[in-house]
Amino acid sequence: MLYALFKPVVGVALRWYYRSITITGLERIPPSGPVFLAVNHPNALVDALVVGHVVPRRVRFTAKATIFANPLAAWLLTRVGVVPLRRSHDESAAGSAPDPTRNAAAFDAVADALSAQAAIVIFPEGKSHDDPHLAPLRTGLARMVWHAADTRDVHNIRIVPMGLLFEEKERPRSRILVRVGEPMAIDAVRQQGATVSSLTQRVSDALAAVTLNFDTAEDAERLQTVGRTLAALLEPLRAVGDDTTPLADVLRVVQRLDRAQQALRERRDPVLDARARQFEQQVRAFRTTLDTHQLDAHDVAIDLGATPGARFALREALLAALLAPIGLWGRITHAVPIQIARAMALRNVRSRDEPAMRTLVLGLVLVLSAYAAQTTLVAWLVGPWWALGFFASLVPSASSDLRYGDRTRRARARARAYFTFRRNPALQQRLLADAEAIRREAGELERLITMNGGGPRWLNRELP
């Protein structure tokens, strides 16, 4: 009951904080039968919320036992089917030696759930973190699989890897991509003589295939900066309402850049290394010019004619007349609780996985409290039917405010580019020439890196 109630509420909260949540490979999740969803863990509680939101079937979760110390949290988590797991790290931190039988009841509960054909979400890294790569996987998942098969005779268990990829996990209105990998049939794996260690390694390899993994945080920053710019330049000009390069396309380019970098390191070619560094500097210089003039890479090729400009202005004015009043109503009714939640969430932040989690939790509490107070006030002032209409308007108006706000920001950016280039057409011509030079050099580097099997064709957008 609580799960069915919370799922749509959580979906609204996630859509308010993040601009889009896209999933690829959803059909790979079995609609029935015993399943482990093995998920990377970059963003604390938000990760569980995202998985519960995008997976059509009901899922159960595993979570560290320490969060059950709060009686209210324990009651709530138990009602939605969360299984507590005691980590050896937690027991060591508490000053006691790890008890090898500490998770016997949890393993039995998971085995019973799998016997009942449940889907169970597990984060095999065992912790949420800000590292630019997967943490070493714990063996708990493999041991649970073995335990269910041996003690409950559960067959046809599947392990499905899921990668959560956040554009900027702490930033409101950024984007999420969920990648689902190929299911792993445990019966076949056991017949091949797999061990706990080898199964854990297989899961690690499968998770690595659906996530981004960089050697260092510096590599992550470099490759993502270049990748975002290059992905934008490879895209045709889009309409304002849909003009951001899909996150899946951006991450594909970033992943290929990373593979190209690995291939360069293996080749140990100083001339090619120097050319690759020069290409990165070329892209960064292009990015710096854009930032200096407050321009977006997607707007470099806009038409500066008077007719397209007038058509753009008319369209946005009509949309503003239609959507701005709805958005304003949403802004008025939600500004106070959301701003308070955000201010409280940013206090004493110690890691990048805290702001979104705190904002969502506090926001849910404060927004729902504000709904109750505002609706009660309206009912007292003008009656229950007006209160019902008021309540029904709250969620749609807030969603409209956020979506229209996203569009307005892009429309302002495009208008700024239009007038900047109208005043300085030479700037647009220089940026267009630079963009073409970047595309040509990217293609030439691709050819050189892939020559004689030196690496993957990392700009081939048809690769998975």
Side-chain angles (χ1 to χ4, degrees):
M1 176 66 179
L2 279 178
Y3 185 92
L5 177 65
F6 278 141
K7 184 163 182 171
V9 174
V10 166
V12 170
L14 286 170
R15 297 286 181 178
W16 283 3
Y17 193 92
Y18 294 103
R19 187 164 86 247
S20 67
I21 303 174
T22 305
I23 182 167
T24 62
L26 181 62
E27 70 283 355
R28 293 170 175 164
I29 299 177
S32 60
V35 172
F36 273 113
L37 300 175
V39 189
N40 64 319
H41 207 3
N43 205 10
L45 175 64
V46 176
D47 298 333
L49 300 180
V50 170
V51 174
H53 172 62
V54 302
V55 175
R57 62 184 290 188
R58 177 168 181 169
V59 298
R60 296 188 63 180
F61 296 92
T62 57
K64 59 184 180 181
T66 51
I67 64 176
F68 283 75
N70 182 300
L72 178 59
W75 179 86
L76 183 62
L77 293 171
T78 302
R79 294 304 182 279
V80 296
V82 178
V83 178
L85 294 178
R86 300 190 65 83
R87 304 179 300 178
S88 59
H89 170 76
D90 296 328
E91 295 194 353
S92 299
S96 57
D99 178 4
T101 65
R102 65 189 181 277
N103 280 318
F107 276 41
D108 285 342
V110 168
D112 290 339
L114 291 172
S115 181
Q117 311 298 295
I120 298 176
V121 178
I122 187 168
F123 300 100
E125 294 172 280
K127 63 176 184 178
S128 176
H129 61 89
D130 293 333
D131 297 337
H133 49 72
L134 289 172
L137 266 56
R138 311 292 178 88
T139 59
L141 170 57
R143 290 188 288 118
M144 282 189 232
V145 169
W146 260 229
H147 183 76
D150 292 339
T151 67
R152 302 296 192 275
D153 196 30
V154 182
H155 292 283
N156 299 318
I157 299 174
R158 299 287 192 272
I159 297 178
V160 181
M162 292 183 68
L164 303 182
L165 301 163
F166 291 83
E167 187 175 36
E168 292 181 61
K169 60 185 179 182
E170 71 276 23
R171 181 170 65 85
R173 310 308 293 161
S174 57
R175 298 175 294 173
I176 305 173
L177 173 66
V178 183
R179 284 176 172 171
V180 182
E182 292 291 344
M184 191 182 305
I186 295 305
D187 288 353
V189 171
R190 282 170 65 87
Q191 289 174 3
Q192 295 167 6
T195 64
V196 167
S197 177
S198 64
L199 177 57
T200 300
Q201 185 58 52
R202 287 193 186 201
V203 175
S204 180
D205 293 340
L207 264 181
V210 293
T211 55
L212 292 179
N213 295 278
F214 305 101
D215 292 338
T216 65
E218 179 187 0
D219 280 350
E221 188 279 329
R222 288 175 45 249
L223 294 174
Q224 290 186 75
T225 297
V226 174
R228 281 194 297 267
T229 304
L230 189 55
L233 296 181
L234 293 171
E235 288 280 328
L237 185 64
R238 292 171 173 262
V240 168
D242 186 34
D243 65 343
T244 303
T245 306
L247 187 56
D249 291 350
V250 174
L251 296 182
R252 270 196 290 269
V253 173
V254 172
Q255 199 163 37
R256 279 146 183 78
L257 285 166
D258 186 42
R259 292 175 182 172
Q261 177 175 266
Q262 298 299 328
L264 282 171
R265 288 173 178 171
E266 291 172 6
R267 289 186 63 162
R268 299 178 183 275
D269 184 334
V271 175
L272 197 52
D273 281 345
R275 186 164 178 175
R277 286 194 298 272
Q278 185 177 4
F279 173 71
E280 180 182 342
Q281 292 170 1
Q282 184 180 10
V283 174
R284 285 184 175 275
F286 179 80
R287 182 80 259 166
T288 298
T289 302
L290 292 175
D291 292 343
T292 299
H293 295 277
Q294 297 181 296
L295 299 171
D296 190 288
H298 296 89
D299 298 331
V300 169
I302 60 172
D303 190 336
L304 300 183
T307 299
R311 194 161 48 234
F312 170 84
L314 178 60
R315 182 181 66 242
E316 296 306 315
L318 291 174
L319 283 171
L322 177 65
L323 298 177
I326 301 173
L328 180 60
W329 177 244
R331 181 74 56 91
I332 291 170
T333 53
H334 292 77
V336 172
I338 288 178
Q339 290 302 321
I340 292 175
R342 186 62 178 163
M344 293 175 64
L346 294 178
R347 289 181 179 176
N348 303 317
V349 171
R350 293 167 296 181
S351 63
R352 292 179 57 221
D353 62 4
E354 291 184 348
M357 174 187 69
R358 292 180 177 182
T359 301
L360 286 169
V361 172
L362 291 169
L364 276 173
V365 172
L366 293 174
V367 168
L368 291 176
S369 299
Y371 282 6
Q374 292 170 352
T375 304
T376 300
L377 179 62
V378 172
W380 180 67
L381 290 174
V382 294
W385 290 109
W386 282 100
L388 182 61
F390 171 83
F391 182 78
S393 75
L394 292 173
V395 171
S397 63
S399 299
S400 177
D401 176 42
L402 292 168
R403 287 194 299 269
Y404 181 63
D406 295 335
R407 183 185 181 93
T408 300
R409 281 187 288 274
R410 279 299 301 128
R412 284 201 301 263
R414 182 153 294 184
R416 182 168 52 246
Y418 179 83
F419 288 113
T420 297
F421 290 149
R422 290 274 292 188
R423 289 193 303 268
N424 187 359
L427 174 63
Q428 184 183 34
Q429 294 306 310
R430 177 159 63 87
L431 287 171
L432 285 170
D434 290 345
E436 180 58 30
I438 289 171
R439 284 190 287 263
R440 281 200 309 269
E441 181 63 4
E444 182 62 14
L445 278 172
E446 175 190 28
R447 186 185 68 80
L448 294 172
I449 292 171
T450 59
M451 189 180 296
N452 300 321
R457 293 187 66 82
W458 53 275
L459 285 181
N460 186 342
R461 297 171 64 82
E462 298 304 317
L463 289 176

